[in-house]
Amino acid sequence: MLGIPCVSDRVAQQVAKIFLEPKVEPKFHQDSYGYRPGRSQHDALATARERCWKYDWALEVDIQGFFDNIDRELLIALVKEHTEERWVLLYLQRWLEADLQEQDGTVVNRDKGTAQGSVISPLLSNVFLHHVFDTWMAENYPRIPFERFADDSVPRRQGRIERRRTI
């Protein structure tokens, strides 16, 4: 479900994005393509196409319901690693906790996730995934390249695949 903020929140989110993006952008993984300046889905596809000829297998990863289920406390803690600006953190908390009004006027209290359709959500998703996926992959599997576009990723590896069965 999309959550489109009111005009004043969209403007404020853009201001926060303009402030935060230069701080986090240089730290993002080189193979992260989603919602980043100067990068697109076409770049991710070009890298995937190139790597298809170099590696024996690929695994597609899609985090189901990612935006709707982001752990807000963890997200704010991760943003705090990049800024201590109180106004950014205060507004971020307010936007994440804002209720959702449906078309029929019904107000829904959201207790997790970030609204898809907001100006700041794509940047927040990249901050979150930079820490919980990209950095984890780099630390635990440094020789396995991947392309990530938002919450979709394609890790690759050379060699035989062993099928394991768990009982």
Side-chain angles (χ1 to χ4, degrees):
M1 182 181 307
L2 290 178
I4 309 299
C6 64
V7 173
S8 60
D9 279 345
R10 290 179 64 83
V11 170
Q13 287 181 12
Q14 184 64 35
V15 170
K17 180 182 177 209
I18 289 168
F19 173 82
L20 191 56
E21 193 169 57
K23 295 180 180 309
V24 296
E25 183 62 34
K27 298 175 183 176
F28 287 160
H29 194 278
Q30 67 183 11
D31 285 326
S32 164
Y33 294 94
Y35 313 114
R36 293 185 59 195
R39 293 171 178 254
S40 70
Q41 67 273 23
H42 302 293
D43 298 323
L45 287 171
T47 302
R49 188 177 309 112
E50 178 185 319
R51 289 179 177 160
C52 279
W53 298 104
K54 295 180 182 178
Y55 296 92
D56 295 332
W57 61 270
L59 171 70
E60 183 196 16
V61 176
D62 177 34
I63 303 171
Q64 187 175 10
F66 171 71
F67 285 91
D68 297 332
N69 292 295
I70 289 177
D71 182 318
R72 292 177 178 171
E73 287 182 33
L74 178 56
L75 174 60
I76 290 172
L78 295 172
V79 170
K80 284 180 180 178
E81 290 186 22
H82 301 282
T83 185
E84 293 181 13
E85 282 294 325
R86 292 181 63 200
W87 67 269
V88 172
L89 300 171
L90 173 67
Y91 278 108
L92 174 58
Q93 186 79 40
R94 288 180 181 175
W95 294 322
L96 290 172
E97 292 174 356
D99 292 336
L100 178 69
Q101 184 175 359
E102 295 183 350
Q103 286 182 344
D104 65 0
T106 308
V107 176
V108 178
N109 183 339
R110 299 178 315 116
D111 60 352
K112 60 185 176 178
T114 180
Q116 292 185 63
S118 75
V119 174
I120 197 78
S121 286
L123 181 62
L124 296 177
S125 74
N126 275 330
V127 169
F128 191 88
L129 288 169
H130 167 73
H131 288 279
V132 301
F133 182 79
D134 302 349
T135 302
W136 180 82
M137 283 291 291
E139 290 172 357
N140 293 283
Y141 301 98
R143 295 177 46 207
I144 297 180
F146 63 90
E147 307 83 46
R148 182 175 64 76
F149 190 89
D151 62 329
D152 298 301
S153 180
V154 184
R156 303 173 186 294
R157 184 166 178 151
Q158 291 181 324
R160 203 172 117 225
I161 300 174
E162 288 184 31
R163 293 183 185 246
R164 295 183 185 183
R165 231 174 115 173
T166 350
I167 298 177

